[in-house]
Amino acid sequence: MMVPLDPCNKPTSQRRIAEGDTVVVYERHDSMRAVTVSAAGVLQNRFGVFRHADWLGRHFGSKVFSSGGVGGKGGRKAGGGFVHLLAPTPELWTLVLSHRTQILYIADISLVVAYLELVPGCVVLESGTGSGSLTTSLARAVAPHGRVYTFDFHDQRADSAREDFEKNGLSSLITVAVQDIQGEGFPDEYSGAADAVFLDLPQPWLAIPSAGTMLRQDGILCSFSPCIEQVQRACETMRSCFTDIRTFEILLRTYEVHEGALKSATTNEASSDGSSLPGKKRKIRSAGEALDSTQTSSVIARPCSTARGHTGYLTFARKSVHGSQTGAAEVCPTS
C-alpha cells in the first residue's frame, strides 16, 4: 500500500516483497519502471534477466542481481547486472506512471501541496484527473481521514485512473467521477465542503465561480496553466471573491554528480619565463578509466544538460469572506 492508513501498520518500505506487490525497479536515476510481482514473472532489460521469484521475501530497497550474474544464493558472477527494488511512493509513482496526459512533476506538486495548506482530514476537489500524478500526492497529504474527489470529462481516462488508485491501495482516499467541470461546474453536494480546490483546465476562469462556491470560508484555490494569457484571465475572475492572489513558475535546476580527474598542481606546465601556468581544468573520467600518476580523484557536480524547463504557472488564491455580521460568504459571480 502506497499510503499507510493505519498507524499500527508498517510502512511499505519496512515490509518484505510479496506476490502481487507493486515494485519500482530502479535501473538508474533516469530509468525506472513499475512492476507487479508474480512468482512466474520475468523482467528483462539491458542489465540482464531478473526472475520475480528471486524477489519474493526480500526487503524493499534490496539490490538484486540478474540471473546470469548470480552464483549460488546471494553470490555474484563477474559481469552480472543489478537493479534496486524500491517501495512505491507518490514521488516515484510520478516518474513511472503511464502518461495518459501531460502530468505535474515533483517540483510543482510540492508547491501545490504546501500552498493549499493540506493536512490530514482535509477535503480536496480536483479537476481534471489526467494521469493521477498530483492526485496521488494529494491523497497522501490528507490521509488517513481526508478525501480527494477528482473529476475528468473523459470516461476512459477516469476508468484508467481509478484502476491505478485501486492497485495502489488508495480507493478509500480518492473518489473518481466523470464530469465536465469547465462546462457544468462541481456537483452541488460539495458546496461549502472543500478545504482546497485544484483546477487543471484549458479555460479555468469558467470553473472558478463554481470552485468558490465549493470552498469553505478561507479555503484555497489553485489553478495550473501552461500559458500566461490563461493566468491573466483567471486572475481577473478571481478578484471578485478571492484575495491573496499569487502566481509562481517553478524552474528546477538539477545537477549531475560524477567522479572526475583533477590534474595535479605540481605538474603544471611551465611557461617560457619559468612561471607556472594555471592547472588543467577538471574533466569527467569515463567508467573504468584509470587515473594516471599526475591525476587525483575528485567528485564533480555540474548542471544537467537535459534539465526540464517551463512546465506551467501555478496561481493560488484564498477565498475572501464578505457579507453581514452573520459571516455569510459572498457568492462568486459566473462569467
Side-chain angles (χ1 to χ4, degrees):
M1 181 176 292
M2 189 178 295
V3 179
L5 300 180
D6 186 344
C8 297
N9 292 340
K10 288 184 178 180
T12 302
S13 58
Q14 296 179 17
R15 291 196 299 103
R16 293 181 182 271
I17 297 172
E19 186 161 5
D21 280 344
T22 297
V23 172
V24 176
V25 178
Y26 179 97
E27 299 173 359
R28 46 176 289 165
H29 73 279
D30 58 354
S31 180
M32 287 175 267
R33 68 181 76 185
V35 175
T36 301
V37 179
S38 64
V42 176
L43 169 67
Q44 298 187 47
N45 61 17
R46 55 183 171 172
F47 300 110
V49 178
F50 300 86
R51 296 191 299 266
H52 292 195
D54 296 333
W55 304 354
L56 297 173
R58 292 179 176 268
H59 285 287
F60 282 99
S62 295
K63 179 180 181 179
V64 295
F65 294 96
S66 65
S67 299
V70 176
K73 188 172 182 180
R76 177 182 177 184
K77 293 180 180 179
F82 63 87
V83 296
H84 289 87
L85 308 178
L86 306 182
T89 64
E91 290 78 15
L92 290 176
W93 187 249
T94 290
L95 300 177
V96 300
L97 57 75
S98 299
H99 285 214
R100 295 178 286 272
T101 59
Q102 180 63 35
I103 68 170
L104 266 69
Y105 287 94
I106 296 169
D108 289 324
I109 290 173
S110 60
L111 194 75
V112 170
V113 172
Y115 270 82
L116 287 182
E117 301 177 0
L118 299 182
V119 295
C122 281
V123 174
V124 184
L125 303 184
E126 178 194 25
S127 177
T129 310
S131 301
S133 173
L134 173 64
T135 317
T136 303
S137 288
L138 294 177
R140 183 180 60 182
V142 304
H145 305 301
R147 194 80 182 183
V148 178
Y149 298 92
T150 181
F151 301 86
D152 203 294
F153 72 91
H154 194 281
D155 290 285
Q156 187 174 353
R157 277 206 301 263
D159 290 340
S160 297
R162 189 180 294 109
E163 290 175 6
D164 284 346
F165 299 145
E166 290 175 356
K167 179 173 65 175
N168 290 326
L170 300 174
S171 297
S172 63
L173 297 170
I174 302 172
T175 298
V176 183
V178 177
Q179 184 153 328
D180 179 10
I181 301 300
Q182 186 171 280
E184 304 171 14
F186 290 98
D188 292 337
E189 63 188 278
Y190 303 113
S191 180
D195 298 287
V197 174
F198 179 84
L199 302 177
D200 183 358
L201 300 170
Q203 296 177 294
W205 53 89
L206 297 179
I208 288 173
S210 175
T213 304
M214 300 300 113
L215 284 167
R216 303 177 190 271
Q217 295 183 10
D218 205 38
I220 302 175
L221 168 68
C222 177
S223 175
F224 175 84
S225 297
C227 302
I228 195 64
E229 291 82 7
Q230 295 169 300
V231 174
Q232 292 170 339
R233 188 159 180 185
C235 288
E236 290 175 2
T237 305
M238 289 178 187
R239 288 195 182 97
S240 61
C241 57
F242 288 88
T243 187
D244 192 23
I245 302 172
R246 312 186 210 181
T247 297
F248 301 90
E249 179 187 20
I250 307 299
L251 299 176
L252 183 66
R253 191 175 193 184
T254 305
Y255 278 72
E256 294 177 338
V257 180
H258 297 276
E259 183 182 1
L262 179 63
K263 195 76 171 181
S264 173
T266 60
T267 62
N268 290 344
E269 298 177 2
S271 64
S272 57
D273 60 0
S275 61
S276 294
L277 293 174
K280 296 289 185 180
K281 290 184 177 180
R282 293 170 174 168
K283 70 173 184 176
I284 301 300
R285 182 167 62 90
S286 60
E289 180 182 353
L291 293 171
D292 63 35
S293 59
T294 66
Q295 294 176 326
T296 58
S297 177
S298 178
V299 175
I300 299 170
R302 64 179 183 181
C304 292
S305 58
T306 57
R308 186 175 290 109
H310 171 79
T311 55
Y313 301 98
L314 291 167
T315 299
F316 297 88
R318 188 179 298 274
K319 183 177 179 180
S320 56
V321 180
H322 301 289
S324 65
Q325 296 179 350
T326 61
E330 180 181 14
V331 177
C332 296
T334 57
S335 299

